[in-house]
Amino acid sequence: EVQLVQSGGGLVQPGGSLRLSCSASGFTFKAHSMHWVRQAPGKGLEYVSSIRSNGEFTFSADSVKGRFTISRDNSNDTLYLQMNSLRLEDTAVYYCVRGAGRDSTIAPFDPWGQGTLVTVSS
Amino acid sequence: DTQMTQSPSTLSASVGDKVTITCRASQIVGTWLAWYQQKPGRAPKLLIYKASTLKSGVPSRFSGSGSGTEFTLTISSLQPDDFATYYCQHYNSFPWTFGQGTKVQIK
C-alpha cells in the first residue's frame, strides 16, 4: 500500500523555522516527483513546492520562494520542507503529495499524506 | 501563472441529482487537468486526471470532460457520499494551481 506519513508540524513564532518530513513507503520513492500543498484554515488548496525524482530540479510558489526549501533523501525515502522566516499567513495544514506518474513530472497528485498543521503565532 | 476559476463556488443538490462543475483556465493547459474530492478534516483524493480519465476505483457516476481552457466535472446521480468540496488543478506548467473549490452541499 502506498503511504505518506508526515511529521514535524506545530506552533512557531513569526520569524521562526520549522522542518516538515514525509516518510514514503509502498512505492519506488526515487522514481516519483514529490510536492507540498497547503490549506489555510477554511480556505482552498494552495500549491507550495515541487521536486523532481532525482532532486535536481525544484520549484516553489512565489509566496514561499526564498523562505521555504524542498528537498528529498532518496536513500531514506523521505521528503522534507524546510520553512524559514515564517509568517502569520503561513498558518495552514501542509500536505505531502506524490506525483502519480513514475519517471514523469507531468502527473497529477496522488496520493496525499495525512496533513500536518503548522501554526504561526506569537 | 495559470489561474483556475471554478463555478459555482457552492452548489446545493439532492441525492439522485445530476451535478456539473465548471473549471476555466486562464491559459491553455491541454488536457493536463485533474479533479480532486475533499471531505472535512480529510486529505484530498484524486478522482480524474488527464481531464477525463477516471482513477481506478472511483465510481463511474463521476466523469470529466474538456480540453484547452474549459473543463467540467459531472456527477451523474449524486450519492450521500458525494457531498464534499471539489477542486480542479492544472499540471501543465509550474506552478500547478488549483481552482478555489466547489462545495456540494445537501439541498
Side-chain angles (χ1 to χ4, degrees):
Chain A
E1 179 192 4
V2 174
Q3 276 200 317
L4 300 170
V5 178
Q6 300 180 224
S7 60
L11 175 64
V12 61
Q13 291 187 337
S17 297
L18 209 58
R19 188 176 83 158
L20 305 183
S21 299
C22 172
S23 180
S25 62
F27 66 100
T28 305
F29 181 73
K30 64 182 179 182
H32 290 260
S33 60
M34 296 295 295
H35 315 270
W36 290 98
V37 175
R38 68 183 181 184
Q39 186 170 36
K43 302 297 184 183
L45 301 172
E46 181 187 11
Y47 169 86
V48 174
S49 194
S50 297
I51 186 167
R52 282 199 179 140
S53 56
N54 60 10
E56 291 184 357
F57 173 83
T58 64
F59 185 92
S60 293
D62 286 345
S63 57
V64 306
K65 202 167 288 183
R67 301 187 299 122
F68 290 13
T69 302
I70 187 172
S71 63
R72 64 191 296 161
D73 181 350
N74 284 350
S75 61
N76 287 306
D77 295 350
T78 304
L79 176 73
Y80 301 101
L81 185 68
Q82 177 65 44
M83 304 185 293
N84 298 331
S85 304
L86 282 160
R87 305 168 179 167
L88 297 176
E89 57 265 33
D90 294 321
T91 295
V93 173
Y94 285 73
Y95 293 103
C96 159
V97 196
R98 185 188 73 163
R102 183 186 171 103
D103 298 318
S104 173
T105 303
I106 307 299
F109 292 177
D110 183 58
W112 297 55
Q114 84 276 17
T116 187
L117 178 61
V118 172
T119 303
V120 184
S121 175
S122 55
Chain B
D1 297 359
T2 302
Q3 307 305 316
M4 308 300 290
T5 304
Q6 289 181 232
S7 61
S9 296
T10 306
L11 188 159
S12 297
S14 301
V15 172
D17 285 352
K18 179 179 180 180
V19 165
T20 300
I21 299 169
T22 298
C23 176
R24 289 186 174 87
S26 63
Q27 301 176 53
I28 293 172
V29 298
T31 55
W32 303 114
L33 192 284
W35 290 96
Y36 302 88
Q37 177 194 66
Q38 186 181 33
K39 296 181 180 179
R42 307 295 298 272
K45 291 184 177 180
L46 176 67
L47 295 176
I48 287 169
Y49 60 97
K50 205 87 185 314
S52 61
T53 303
L54 202 64
K55 180 190 170 182
S56 176
V58 173
S60 59
R61 62 181 179 271
F62 290 92
S63 64
S65 64
S67 66
T69 61
E70 297 262 344
F71 303 89
T72 59
L73 172 69
T74 300
I75 309 173
S76 60
S77 178
L78 199 64
Q79 298 302 301
D81 192 48
D82 302 338
F83 291 98
T85 300
Y86 295 85
Y87 294 91
C88 65
Q89 178 211 24
H90 85 85
Y91 50 102
N92 178 59
S93 59
F94 289 112
W96 295 357
T97 48
F98 294 89
Q100 81 279 16
T102 296
K103 184 176 182 180
V104 177
Q105 58 188 21
I106 300 173
K107 193 172 187 178

